Amino acid sequence: MIKAQRGTKDIFGDEVATWQWIFENAKKTFQNADFTEIKTPIFEATELFNRGVGDSTDIVNKEMYTFKVGGAEKNETSITLRPENTAGVVRSFIEHNLNRQSPPQKFWYFGPMFRYERPQAGRQRQFHQAGIELFGIKEPTADAEVIMLAVDFLNALGLNNLTVELNTLGCNKCKNEYKESIKKVLLPYLEELCDDCKMRYKKNPLRILDCKNENCQKIFEIKEIKEIILKDYVCDECREHFTELQSYLDNLNIKYTINKMLVRGLDYYNRTVFEIKSEALGSQSAVCGGGRYDGLVEMLGGTPTPAIGFAMGVERLYTLVDKVAPKKNDFFIVSNNSNEAIKLARKLRLKNKRASFDLQKRKFAKQLEKASKTAKYAIILGEDEINENYYSLKNLATGEQKAIKTFEELLNLS
Ligand code: ATP
Ligand code: MG
């Protein structure tokens, strides 16, 4: 038997109702804030992620599904299944000159992402993210709106017990000074750092702070290193941006904690970064990660455009939310006359009712049994009903049955 690949999952049956409910809530929350949906391709040129996610990240170094297509004689190209969606949205933003519309340009998405990781609870190889990207605004009002929408989306799903962790990485100027002092203080310990951190030391030293390796964590606790890490290094402008953001969040009554170690996995972030966590998830506690990436559009060849966004892990949300019961059909048509049954089902569906009928010409009793399992009402179309032009309607919750004269009356029922 051929089985699903490790780290992938089929979603069907009762689970679908909850999935659809999560999607509907994302759609409602983001559309109400004037974000429009964007659907970009599932695969992109490998180079987009190498540059757009960054070659010091775990994603690019270890987790990408990359393969060659075309063959040597036909312009062989390297493509990658998207491991995240910011790079793809930015590519699309540049390619279609979306910066010509007046800012802010706001987009939301919901779809599968692919990372070659070790599968475990809350970690799959094909997983889904719901996210938003907001372009064109450098003011901290945008940061506040984006964080607010993450919180409001989670609240809409009934999730309130969450921690918003917040940090500022500063701009290129102050970030670079900080990087240099981190490098300096870590230099004597370079050989003791893990191999990943040795590489990060060269490519993006800030990412070292994100390391989960126990030995590296111990090194961060050494007094003179900790002091440098926790130093308030950002410049006046960045500090002002961060303070203003906090005042918006306070005003909105959104609780947060400042985590100076929060640097996030991707290379392109500047200024605001944030994560939302739920203790209920155990070791994979992050449901949402986001931040500002003012340099990315320019780095990928567009005109300089400030931007900020987040991505939520839908599978992790799924484990946290109360499961939604699948909705029942409005009607099941019980009849031995397939021609009448199929016509009536179609008529109801065109009026936006959920209706089903028997496809197998089974006995009335069998059809009624199916009806009571799957629908709110059975519409019985026997010979009498067809000849005399009425419907026998059975309420499947109460068992009550009555005659209904017109189609309009049926429509008003459920
Ligand atoms: P982690 O530290 O858990 O690996 P990350 O920094 O790689 O997270 P992001 O790239 O920020 O994650 O993605 C945003 C969200 O997507 C995460 O907070 C998480 O909820 C979800 N996510 C990331 N990778 C996976 C995965 N392999 N399986 C399921 N969900 C994931
Ligand atoms: Mg990861």
Side-chain angles (χ1 to χ4, degrees):
M1 189 184 39
I2 299 171
K3 292 191 171 170
Q5 292 289 294
R6 215 162 98 77
T8 71
K9 206 172 164 301
D10 300 315
I11 301 158
F12 59 94
D14 288 358
E15 290 197 353
V16 172
T18 306
W19 267 84
Q20 289 178 339
W21 176 73
I22 294 174
F23 178 85
E24 290 306 324
N25 272 296
K27 181 174 167 186
K28 201 168 57 194
T29 309
F30 305 146
Q31 283 190 354
N32 284 350
D34 217 15
F35 284 70
T36 57
E37 190 177 5
I38 184 163
K39 294 167 185 278
T40 57
I42 281 175
F43 59 88
E44 298 271 1
T46 303
E47 194 197 347
L48 175 69
F49 303 115
N50 287 346
R51 285 170 52 193
V53 177
D55 60 5
S56 80
T57 61
D58 285 352
I59 292 182
V60 169
N61 285 316
K62 304 177 191 161
E63 300 172 359
M64 296 216 295
Y65 279 92
T66 294
F67 40 94
K68 296 244 166 37
V69 288
E73 65 282 8
K74 282 196 209 158
N75 266 346
E76 187 178 71
T77 44
S78 176
I79 62 171
T80 295
L81 301 184
R82 62 182 189 192
E84 55 91 58
N85 209 27
T86 302
V89 172
V90 169
R91 192 235 353 106
S92 177
F93 182 83
I94 298 169
E95 188 168 341
H96 303 292
N97 292 311
L98 298 178
N99 64 327
R100 290 200 192 138
Q101 301 165 6
S102 77
Q105 299 91 359
K106 297 168 154 187
F107 305 97
W108 70 278
Y109 61 81
F110 193 109
M113 309 295 156
F114 307 84
R115 296 185 193 176
Y116 191 75
E117 308 197 62
R118 194 169 63 79
Q120 52 191 291
R123 203 174 279 293
Q124 293 177 201
R125 291 181 171 173
Q126 176 173 340
F127 62 101
H128 296 72
Q129 285 184 337
I132 67 178
E133 312 292 352
L134 188 160
F135 294 92
I137 306 294
K138 63 179 190 323
E139 284 77 11
T141 37
D143 309 43
E145 174 163 45
V146 165
I147 294 174
M148 173 179 77
L149 286 173
V151 169
D152 286 348
F153 170 53
L154 293 166
N155 288 347
L157 298 178
L159 305 175
N160 305 305
N161 243 337
L162 301 156
T163 325
V164 181
E165 290 190 0
L166 202 61
N167 193 18
T168 178
L169 300 177
C171 58
N172 280 342
K173 203 172 91 246
C174 50
K175 195 157 82 170
N176 281 339
E177 281 169 28
Y178 183 58
K179 272 185 194 169
E180 289 313 315
S181 31
I182 297 262
K183 277 175 91 164
K184 204 164 139 205
V185 75
L186 283 176
L187 187 59
Y189 302 88
L190 189 52
E191 282 313 306
E192 290 170 50
L193 292 172
C194 72
D195 287 347
D196 284 343
C197 282
K198 284 192 189 104
M199 181 272 292
R200 291 173 187 139
Y201 188 90
K202 284 198 208 109
K203 288 187 172 167
N204 186 355
L206 276 197
R207 288 270 297 113
I208 292 178
L209 306 186
D210 198 36
C211 186
K212 306 285 183 297
N213 180 294
E214 246 173 63
N215 197 43
C216 294
Q217 295 267 346
K218 267 192 209 137
I219 296 175
F220 305 154
E221 290 304 319
I222 297 171
K223 194 164 159 279
E224 75 255 31
I225 297 180
K226 191 101 215 179
E227 268 170 19
I228 296 288
I229 290 176
L230 295 181
K231 199 175 76 178
D232 192 6
Y233 66 92
V234 294
C235 64
D236 288 347
E237 274 170 65
C238 288
R239 183 172 305 113
E240 214 171 284
H241 183 100
F242 198 46
T243 313
E244 198 176 323
L245 165 62
Q246 289 174 62
S247 74
Y248 292 129
L249 295 178
D250 292 337
N251 186 46
L252 288 163
N253 223 347
I254 292 173
K255 304 264 175 308
Y256 54 86
T257 55
I258 304 221
N259 176 1
K260 289 248 179 195
M261 301 292 279
L262 183 68
V263 288
R264 305 267 314 121
L266 313 181
D267 279 355
Y268 49 63
Y269 287 113
N270 68 303
R271 287 200 168 160
T272 311
V273 286
F274 63 99
E275 256 180 23
I276 305 182
K277 293 185 173 161
S278 163
E279 290 310 316
L281 283 173
S283 58
Q284 317 305 335
S285 61
V287 287
C288 175
R292 189 169 263 287
Y293 51 95
D294 293 339
L296 186 61
V297 177
E298 186 180 15
M299 202 261 279
L300 290 174
T303 45
T305 308
I308 178 165
F310 66 69
M312 302 245 181
V314 181
E315 279 76 5
R316 295 190 194 170
L317 295 180
Y318 183 88
T319 60
L320 290 175
V321 297
D322 281 334
K323 303 293 173 276
V324 175
K327 222 174 118 208
K328 282 197 158 188
N329 276 329
D330 300 314
F331 300 105
F332 190 97
I333 301 154
V334 174
S335 181
N336 286 333
N337 186 327
S338 301
N339 268 320
E340 292 299 326
I342 196 169
K343 262 186 356 204
L344 180 58
R346 184 190 208 184
K347 224 169 133 185
L348 287 162
R349 290 169 187 176
L350 291 174
K351 290 290 177 192
N352 217 7
K353 297 292 179 191
R354 282 175 59 157
S356 218
F357 62 100
D358 183 63
L359 292 167
Q360 294 161 290
K361 297 195 169 78
R362 287 179 300 186
K363 297 223 159 61
F364 254 61
K366 276 272 172 230
Q367 291 191 30
L368 263 175
E369 202 183 303
K370 175 84 177 171
S372 57
K373 279 188 192 142
T374 56
K376 294 180 207 154
Y377 295 98
I379 301 174
I380 300 162
L381 281 184
E383 265 175 50
D384 286 355
E385 284 86 354
I386 294 167
N387 291 337
E388 288 159 42
N389 244 331
Y390 71 97
Y391 311 98
S392 291
L393 183 90
K394 184 168 182 172
N395 180 329
L396 295 163
T398 64
E400 182 197 355
Q401 189 169 323
K402 61 182 176 187
I404 300 268
K405 295 248 154 39
T406 66
F407 180 69
E408 280 62 39
E409 269 179 82
L410 281 181
L411 294 183
N412 290 333
L413 270 170
S414 53

